[in-house]
Amino acid sequence: MNRLLRACDVLNPTLPEGASPLTDSEIFVTCEVCGDIALSTLFLTLKREIVYTCPRTLEPLVILAVPNGDEAIWKRALRVGDFALWHSGDLKFRGTMIPRSELALREREIRTRYTKERRNRKRQ
């Protein structure tokens, strides 16, 4: 049986040679509501992508994907090896901080616009 791929597995190759492997409990993502949260405390869902979801807000905070070449949406995500890494808040581990994904800013704007349109339709 294959082991589930996690964010730590994707980020481990970025560490200096000889460094001990990362675990999800050492990687933190910033949630707008909860603050910094360890990935090990988030809900983990395996679909086409691997999604880390905040247990309080139920918003996706980190998404790992193996993008197809024709998927334009992943072109603005952080690329680590063969993987695309999307994160809605800053990622922090071992003194390193990776700023929020550019894609996250656009995605939030699209999601907010869609939610407003849906609410307006319900009111009519």
Side-chain angles (χ1 to χ4, degrees):
M1 184 173 173
N2 290 338
R3 188 169 94 62
L4 178 66
L5 182 78
R6 295 179 172 268
C8 58
D9 300 320
V10 172
L11 292 172
N12 273 329
T14 68
L15 297 175
E17 191 173 323
S20 60
L22 276 172
T23 64
D24 276 357
S25 61
E26 295 178 88
I27 305 169
F28 293 82
V29 65
T30 304
C31 172
E32 291 179 358
V33 175
C34 306
D36 290 349
I37 306 173
L39 296 189
S40 61
T41 64
L42 302 178
F43 294 138
L44 192 58
T45 308
L46 178 60
K47 296 181 183 177
R48 183 170 174 213
E49 298 93 13
I50 297 167
V51 181
Y52 289 83
T53 304
C54 178
R56 184 169 172 199
T57 65
L58 303 179
E59 291 289 326
L61 298 179
V62 177
I63 300 174
L64 295 175
V66 179
N68 294 329
D70 61 345
E71 292 180 286
I73 192 162
W74 292 111
K75 289 187 173 146
R76 292 175 54 191
L78 175 67
R79 298 300 290 260
V80 181
D82 294 333
F83 299 94
L85 179 65
W86 174 94
H87 47 102
S88 62
D90 297 339
L91 275 182
K92 301 169 188 169
F93 58 94
R94 294 190 186 167
T96 300
M97 195 270 289
I98 303 172
R100 176 182 194 167
S101 301
E102 284 183 44
L103 181 62
L105 298 172
R106 185 168 179 271
E107 191 67 28
R108 182 171 180 82
E109 175 186 309
I110 292 167
R111 196 171 54 236
T112 302
R113 187 178 332 126
Y114 173 75
T115 302
K116 286 179 183 176
E117 289 171 3
R118 195 174 67 216
R119 285 181 188 152
N120 288 336
R121 282 193 299 262
K122 284 183 178 181
R123 290 180 187 159
Q124 295 173 351

mmCIF file with all atom_site columns, all heavy atoms in Angstrom, residues 80-94:
data_model
loop_
_atom_site.group_PDB
_atom_site.id
_atom_site.type_symbol
_atom_site.label_atom_id
_atom_site.label_alt_id
_atom_site.label_comp_id
_atom_site.label_asym_id
_atom_site.label_entity_id
_atom_site.label_seq_id
_atom_site.pdbx_PDB_ins_code
_atom_site.Cartn_x
_atom_site.Cartn_y
_atom_site.Cartn_z
_atom_site.occupancy
_atom_site.B_iso_or_equiv
_atom_site.pdbx_formal_charge
_atom_site.auth_seq_id
_atom_site.auth_comp_id
_atom_site.auth_asym_id
_atom_site.auth_atom_id
_atom_site.pdbx_PDB_model_num
ATOM 1   N N   . VAL A 1 80 ? 7.427  22.961 -6.588  1.00 0.00 ? 80 VAL A N   1
ATOM 2   C CA  . VAL A 1 80 ? 8.499  22.268 -5.871  1.00 0.00 ? 80 VAL A CA  1
ATOM 3   C C   . VAL A 1 80 ? 8.622  20.900 -6.537  1.00 0.00 ? 80 VAL A C   1
ATOM 4   O O   . VAL A 1 80 ? 7.770  20.031 -6.344  1.00 0.00 ? 80 VAL A O   1
ATOM 5   C CB  . VAL A 1 80 ? 8.186  22.107 -4.371  1.00 0.00 ? 80 VAL A CB  1
ATOM 6   C CG1 . VAL A 1 80 ? 9.324  21.411 -3.662  1.00 0.00 ? 80 VAL A CG1 1
ATOM 7   C CG2 . VAL A 1 80 ? 7.891  23.448 -3.722  1.00 0.00 ? 80 VAL A CG2 1
ATOM 8   N N   . GLY A 1 81 ? 9.651  20.739 -7.335  1.00 0.00 ? 81 GLY A N   1
ATOM 9   C CA  . GLY A 1 81 ? 9.799  19.501 -8.095  1.00 0.00 ? 81 GLY A CA  1
ATOM 10  C C   . GLY A 1 81 ? 8.629  19.338 -9.049  1.00 0.00 ? 81 GLY A C   1
ATOM 11  O O   . GLY A 1 81 ? 8.293  20.248 -9.804  1.00 0.00 ? 81 GLY A O   1
ATOM 12  N N   . ASP A 1 82 ? 7.992  18.164 -9.008  1.00 0.00 ? 82 ASP A N   1
ATOM 13  C CA  . ASP A 1 82 ? 6.848  17.884 -9.872  1.00 0.00 ? 82 ASP A CA  1
ATOM 14  C C   . ASP A 1 82 ? 5.533  18.401 -9.300  1.00 0.00 ? 82 ASP A C   1
ATOM 15  O O   . ASP A 1 82 ? 4.486  18.225 -9.909  1.00 0.00 ? 82 ASP A O   1
ATOM 16  C CB  . ASP A 1 82 ? 6.702  16.366 -10.080 1.00 0.00 ? 82 ASP A CB  1
ATOM 17  C CG  . ASP A 1 82 ? 7.870  15.788 -10.860 1.00 0.00 ? 82 ASP A CG  1
ATOM 18  O OD1 . ASP A 1 82 ? 8.485  16.539 -11.641 1.00 0.00 ? 82 ASP A OD1 1
ATOM 19  O OD2 . ASP A 1 82 ? 8.152  14.587 -10.701 1.00 0.00 ? 82 ASP A OD2 1
ATOM 20  N N   . PHE A 1 83 ? 5.573  19.029 -8.147  1.00 0.00 ? 83 PHE A N   1
ATOM 21  C CA  . PHE A 1 83 ? 4.351  19.409 -7.444  1.00 0.00 ? 83 PHE A CA  1
ATOM 22  C C   . PHE A 1 83 ? 4.071  20.899 -7.503  1.00 0.00 ? 83 PHE A C   1
ATOM 23  O O   . PHE A 1 83 ? 4.980  21.714 -7.566  1.00 0.00 ? 83 PHE A O   1
ATOM 24  C CB  . PHE A 1 83 ? 4.429  18.970 -5.980  1.00 0.00 ? 83 PHE A CB  1
ATOM 25  C CG  . PHE A 1 83 ? 4.571  17.496 -5.828  1.00 0.00 ? 83 PHE A CG  1
ATOM 26  C CD1 . PHE A 1 83 ? 5.830  16.926 -5.703  1.00 0.00 ? 83 PHE A CD1 1
ATOM 27  C CD2 . PHE A 1 83 ? 3.468  16.664 -5.841  1.00 0.00 ? 83 PHE A CD2 1
ATOM 28  C CE1 . PHE A 1 83 ? 5.982  15.560 -5.598  1.00 0.00 ? 83 PHE A CE1 1
ATOM 29  C CE2 . PHE A 1 83 ? 3.609  15.299 -5.740  1.00 0.00 ? 83 PHE A CE2 1
ATOM 30  C CZ  . PHE A 1 83 ? 4.865  14.744 -5.612  1.00 0.00 ? 83 PHE A CZ  1
ATOM 31  N N   . ALA A 1 84 ? 2.788  21.224 -7.451  1.00 0.00 ? 84 ALA A N   1
ATOM 32  C CA  . ALA A 1 84 ? 2.339  22.606 -7.290  1.00 0.00 ? 84 ALA A CA  1
ATOM 33  C C   . ALA A 1 84 ? 1.837  22.717 -5.860  1.00 0.00 ? 84 ALA A C   1
ATOM 34  O O   . ALA A 1 84 ? 1.104  21.857 -5.373  1.00 0.00 ? 84 ALA A O   1
ATOM 35  C CB  . ALA A 1 84 ? 1.225  22.929 -8.275  1.00 0.00 ? 84 ALA A CB  1
ATOM 36  N N   . LEU A 1 85 ? 2.226  23.765 -5.189  1.00 0.00 ? 85 LEU A N   1
ATOM 37  C CA  . LEU A 1 85 ? 1.852  23.981 -3.790  1.00 0.00 ? 85 LEU A CA  1
ATOM 38  C C   . LEU A 1 85 ? 1.121  25.314 -3.697  1.00 0.00 ? 85 LEU A C   1
ATOM 39  O O   . LEU A 1 85 ? 1.684  26.357 -4.003  1.00 0.00 ? 85 LEU A O   1
ATOM 40  C CB  . LEU A 1 85 ? 3.113  23.991 -2.922  1.00 0.00 ? 85 LEU A CB  1
ATOM 41  C CG  . LEU A 1 85 ? 2.943  24.220 -1.432  1.00 0.00 ? 85 LEU A CG  1
ATOM 42  C CD1 . LEU A 1 85 ? 2.174  23.076 -0.803  1.00 0.00 ? 85 LEU A CD1 1
ATOM 43  C CD2 . LEU A 1 85 ? 4.299  24.366 -0.778  1.00 0.00 ? 85 LEU A CD2 1
ATOM 44  N N   . TRP A 1 86 ? -0.135 25.263 -3.338  1.00 0.00 ? 86 TRP A N   1
ATOM 45  C CA  . TRP A 1 86 ? -0.974 26.450 -3.173  1.00 0.00 ? 86 TRP A CA  1
ATOM 46  C C   . TRP A 1 86 ? -1.225 26.611 -1.680  1.00 0.00 ? 86 TRP A C   1
ATOM 47  O O   . TRP A 1 86 ? -1.544 25.632 -1.004  1.00 0.00 ? 86 TRP A O   1
ATOM 48  C CB  . TRP A 1 86 ? -2.298 26.236 -3.903  1.00 0.00 ? 86 TRP A CB  1
ATOM 49  C CG  . TRP A 1 86 ? -3.311 27.306 -3.714  1.00 0.00 ? 86 TRP A CG  1
ATOM 50  C CD1 . TRP A 1 86 ? -3.515 28.382 -4.518  1.00 0.00 ? 86 TRP A CD1 1
ATOM 51  C CD2 . TRP A 1 86 ? -4.294 27.395 -2.679  1.00 0.00 ? 86 TRP A CD2 1
ATOM 52  N NE1 . TRP A 1 86 ? -4.551 29.135 -4.045  1.00 0.00 ? 86 TRP A NE1 1
ATOM 53  C CE2 . TRP A 1 86 ? -5.056 28.551 -2.902  1.00 0.00 ? 86 TRP A CE2 1
ATOM 54  C CE3 . TRP A 1 86 ? -4.599 26.618 -1.558  1.00 0.00 ? 86 TRP A CE3 1
ATOM 55  C CZ2 . TRP A 1 86 ? -6.090 28.950 -2.081  1.00 0.00 ? 86 TRP A CZ2 1
ATOM 56  C CZ3 . TRP A 1 86 ? -5.631 27.012 -0.748  1.00 0.00 ? 86 TRP A CZ3 1
ATOM 57  C CH2 . TRP A 1 86 ? -6.363 28.162 -1.006  1.00 0.00 ? 86 TRP A CH2 1
ATOM 58  N N   . HIS A 1 87 ? -1.030 27.811 -1.159  1.00 0.00 ? 87 HIS A N   1
ATOM 59  C CA  . HIS A 1 87 ? -1.291 28.025 0.270   1.00 0.00 ? 87 HIS A CA  1
ATOM 60  C C   . HIS A 1 87 ? -1.875 29.413 0.455   1.00 0.00 ? 87 HIS A C   1
ATOM 61  O O   . HIS A 1 87 ? -1.375 30.404 -0.063  1.00 0.00 ? 87 HIS A O   1
ATOM 62  C CB  . HIS A 1 87 ? -0.034 27.800 1.115   1.00 0.00 ? 87 HIS A CB  1
ATOM 63  C CG  . HIS A 1 87 ? 1.190  28.466 0.581   1.00 0.00 ? 87 HIS A CG  1
ATOM 64  N ND1 . HIS A 1 87 ? 1.684  29.633 1.104   1.00 0.00 ? 87 HIS A ND1 1
ATOM 65  C CD2 . HIS A 1 87 ? 2.009  28.141 -0.442  1.00 0.00 ? 87 HIS A CD2 1
ATOM 66  C CE1 . HIS A 1 87 ? 2.760  29.989 0.438   1.00 0.00 ? 87 HIS A CE1 1
ATOM 67  N NE2 . HIS A 1 87 ? 2.976  29.115 -0.508  1.00 0.00 ? 87 HIS A NE2 1
ATOM 68  N N   . SER A 1 88 ? -2.962 29.476 1.213   1.00 0.00 ? 88 SER A N   1
ATOM 69  C CA  . SER A 1 88 ? -3.702 30.727 1.376   1.00 0.00 ? 88 SER A CA  1
ATOM 70  C C   . SER A 1 88 ? -3.076 31.663 2.401   1.00 0.00 ? 88 SER A C   1
ATOM 71  O O   . SER A 1 88 ? -3.425 32.832 2.471   1.00 0.00 ? 88 SER A O   1
ATOM 72  C CB  . SER A 1 88 ? -5.151 30.431 1.779   1.00 0.00 ? 88 SER A CB  1
ATOM 73  O OG  . SER A 1 88 ? -5.181 29.772 3.016   1.00 0.00 ? 88 SER A OG  1
ATOM 74  N N   . GLY A 1 89 ? -2.170 31.147 3.205   1.00 0.00 ? 89 GLY A N   1
ATOM 75  C CA  . GLY A 1 89 ? -1.455 31.966 4.188   1.00 0.00 ? 89 GLY A CA  1
ATOM 76  C C   . GLY A 1 89 ? 0.023  31.661 4.108   1.00 0.00 ? 89 GLY A C   1
ATOM 77  O O   . GLY A 1 89 ? 0.446  30.740 3.410   1.00 0.00 ? 89 GLY A O   1
ATOM 78  N N   . ASP A 1 90 ? 0.827  32.432 4.808   1.00 0.00 ? 90 ASP A N   1
ATOM 79  C CA  . ASP A 1 90 ? 2.269  32.194 4.817   1.00 0.00 ? 90 ASP A CA  1
ATOM 80  C C   . ASP A 1 90 ? 2.574  30.804 5.359   1.00 0.00 ? 90 ASP A C   1
ATOM 81  O O   . ASP A 1 90 ? 1.951  30.359 6.316   1.00 0.00 ? 90 ASP A O   1
ATOM 82  C CB  . ASP A 1 90 ? 2.974  33.233 5.687   1.00 0.00 ? 90 ASP A CB  1
ATOM 83  C CG  . ASP A 1 90 ? 2.826  34.651 5.170   1.00 0.00 ? 90 ASP A CG  1
ATOM 84  O OD1 . ASP A 1 90 ? 2.534  34.819 3.962   1.00 0.00 ? 90 ASP A OD1 1
ATOM 85  O OD2 . ASP A 1 90 ? 2.988  35.582 5.964   1.00 0.00 ? 90 ASP A OD2 1
ATOM 86  N N   . LEU A 1 91 ? 3.537  30.117 4.742   1.00 0.00 ? 91 LEU A N   1
ATOM 87  C CA  . LEU A 1 91 ? 4.030  28.832 5.243   1.00 0.00 ? 91 LEU A CA  1
ATOM 88  C C   . LEU A 1 91 ? 5.327  29.101 5.994   1.00 0.00 ? 91 LEU A C   1
ATOM 89  O O   . LEU A 1 91 ? 6.191  29.829 5.503   1.00 0.00 ? 91 LEU A O   1
ATOM 90  C CB  . LEU A 1 91 ? 4.338  27.875 4.092   1.00 0.00 ? 91 LEU A CB  1
ATOM 91  C CG  . LEU A 1 91 ? 3.221  27.052 3.512   1.00 0.00 ? 91 LEU A CG  1
ATOM 92  C CD1 . LEU A 1 91 ? 3.769  26.145 2.418   1.00 0.00 ? 91 LEU A CD1 1
ATOM 93  C CD2 . LEU A 1 91 ? 2.518  26.236 4.554   1.00 0.00 ? 91 LEU A CD2 1
ATOM 94  N N   . LYS A 1 92 ? 5.452  28.498 7.175   1.00 0.00 ? 92 LYS A N   1
ATOM 95  C CA  . LYS A 1 92 ? 6.648  28.706 8.000   1.00 0.00 ? 92 LYS A CA  1
ATOM 96  C C   . LYS A 1 92 ? 7.171  27.366 8.499   1.00 0.00 ? 92 LYS A C   1
ATOM 97  O O   . LYS A 1 92 ? 6.397  26.544 8.987   1.00 0.00 ? 92 LYS A O   1
ATOM 98  C CB  . LYS A 1 92 ? 6.302  29.591 9.200   1.00 0.00 ? 92 LYS A CB  1
ATOM 99  C CG  . LYS A 1 92 ? 5.749  30.944 8.804   1.00 0.00 ? 92 LYS A CG  1
ATOM 100 C CD  . LYS A 1 92 ? 5.179  31.679 9.991   1.00 0.00 ? 92 LYS A CD  1
ATOM 101 C CE  . LYS A 1 92 ? 4.466  32.930 9.520   1.00 0.00 ? 92 LYS A CE  1
ATOM 102 N NZ  . LYS A 1 92 ? 3.676  33.554 10.548  1.00 0.00 ? 92 LYS A NZ  1
ATOM 103 N N   . PHE A 1 93 ? 8.491  27.188 8.358   1.00 0.00 ? 93 PHE A N   1
ATOM 104 C CA  . PHE A 1 93 ? 9.126  25.991 8.910   1.00 0.00 ? 93 PHE A CA  1
ATOM 105 C C   . PHE A 1 93 ? 10.613 26.247 9.069   1.00 0.00 ? 93 PHE A C   1
ATOM 106 O O   . PHE A 1 93 ? 11.250 26.841 8.203   1.00 0.00 ? 93 PHE A O   1
ATOM 107 C CB  . PHE A 1 93 ? 8.891  24.755 8.034   1.00 0.00 ? 93 PHE A CB  1
ATOM 108 C CG  . PHE A 1 93 ? 9.383  24.883 6.618   1.00 0.00 ? 93 PHE A CG  1
ATOM 109 C CD1 . PHE A 1 93 ? 10.645 24.437 6.265   1.00 0.00 ? 93 PHE A CD1 1
ATOM 110 C CD2 . PHE A 1 93 ? 8.585  25.452 5.640   1.00 0.00 ? 93 PHE A CD2 1
ATOM 111 C CE1 . PHE A 1 93 ? 11.100 24.545 4.968   1.00 0.00 ? 93 PHE A CE1 1
ATOM 112 C CE2 . PHE A 1 93 ? 9.030  25.570 4.335   1.00 0.00 ? 93 PHE A CE2 1
ATOM 113 C CZ  . PHE A 1 93 ? 10.293 25.112 3.992   1.00 0.00 ? 93 PHE A CZ  1
ATOM 114 N N   . ARG A 1 94 ? 11.150 25.863 10.203  1.00 0.00 ? 94 ARG A N   1
ATOM 115 C CA  . ARG A 1 94 ? 12.584 25.942 10.509  1.00 0.00 ? 94 ARG A CA  1
ATOM 116 C C   . ARG A 1 94 ? 13.225 27.267 10.077  1.00 0.00 ? 94 ARG A C   1
ATOM 117 O O   . ARG A 1 94 ? 14.251 27.282 9.410   1.00 0.00 ? 94 ARG A O   1
ATOM 118 C CB  . ARG A 1 94 ? 13.311 24.776 9.873   1.00 0.00 ? 94 ARG A CB  1
ATOM 119 C CG  . ARG A 1 94 ? 12.915 23.451 10.475  1.00 0.00 ? 94 ARG A CG  1
ATOM 120 C CD  . ARG A 1 94 ? 13.818 22.361 10.003  1.00 0.00 ? 94 ARG A CD  1
ATOM 121 N NE  . ARG A 1 94 ? 13.330 21.087 10.479  1.00 0.00 ? 94 ARG A NE  1
ATOM 122 C CZ  . ARG A 1 94 ? 13.758 19.933 10.041  1.00 0.00 ? 94 ARG A CZ  1
ATOM 123 N NH1 . ARG A 1 94 ? 14.713 19.863 9.131   1.00 0.00 ? 94 ARG A NH1 1
ATOM 124 N NH2 . ARG A 1 94 ? 13.263 18.819 10.530  1.00 0.00 ? 94 ARG A NH2 1
#
